[in-house]
Amino acid sequence: MARIISVEKGFKIIEMSTMEFLYIGGLSICDCCNEMMLKGYYIPVLNSAYCEKDFNLWLNSAIRYDEDIPYEISKFEQMKNALKI
């Protein structure tokens, strides 16, 4: 089941399974490395989904900018509604 995870930097993140990516119309393929994901992370501020390895690499250098927050919240709410979480 999709779940919202918290990260220290404050980004809104949704952990999803292959079936959940398929349910929303995705192919469960990492937007960074193009590999198939059994579990992935939807990153609303990027409107992208990354595998665990690429998610952690991104998170290490990511900076949460105030001007991105309205967009992030909008995409986060859209995905929450689509997944009914």
Side-chain angles (χ1 to χ4, degrees):
M1 169 141 211
R3 67 184 186 105
I4 299 164
I5 62 168
S6 59
V7 294
E8 282 185 23
K9 294 185 177 184
F11 291 102
K12 296 184 174 300
I13 306 294
I14 302 175
E15 182 182 272
M16 297 168 58
S17 69
T18 297
M19 293 308 291
E20 288 156 340
F21 282 112
L22 294 173
Y23 174 77
I24 57 132
L27 296 175
S28 197
I29 295 173
C30 176
D31 288 327
C32 190
C33 69
N34 294 316
E35 295 291 324
M36 186 66 116
M37 301 182 292
L38 295 177
K39 174 178 79 171
Y41 298 88
Y42 175 66
I43 308 166
V45 74
L46 302 178
N47 194 30
S48 292
Y50 284 7
C51 66
E52 188 166 13
K53 178 186 74 113
D54 290 322
F55 170 70
N56 288 321
L57 287 171
W58 168 79
L59 189 57
N60 283 335
S61 62
I63 298 170
R64 191 164 191 236
Y65 295 102
D66 290 340
E67 59 267 26
D68 293 338
I69 293 174
Y71 176 82
E72 178 185 27
I73 291 170
S74 171
K75 292 300 179 184
F76 178 75
E77 291 299 324
Q78 287 175 1
M79 188 62 72
K80 261 182 44 178
N81 291 335
L83 293 168
K84 299 175 178 75
I85 56 172

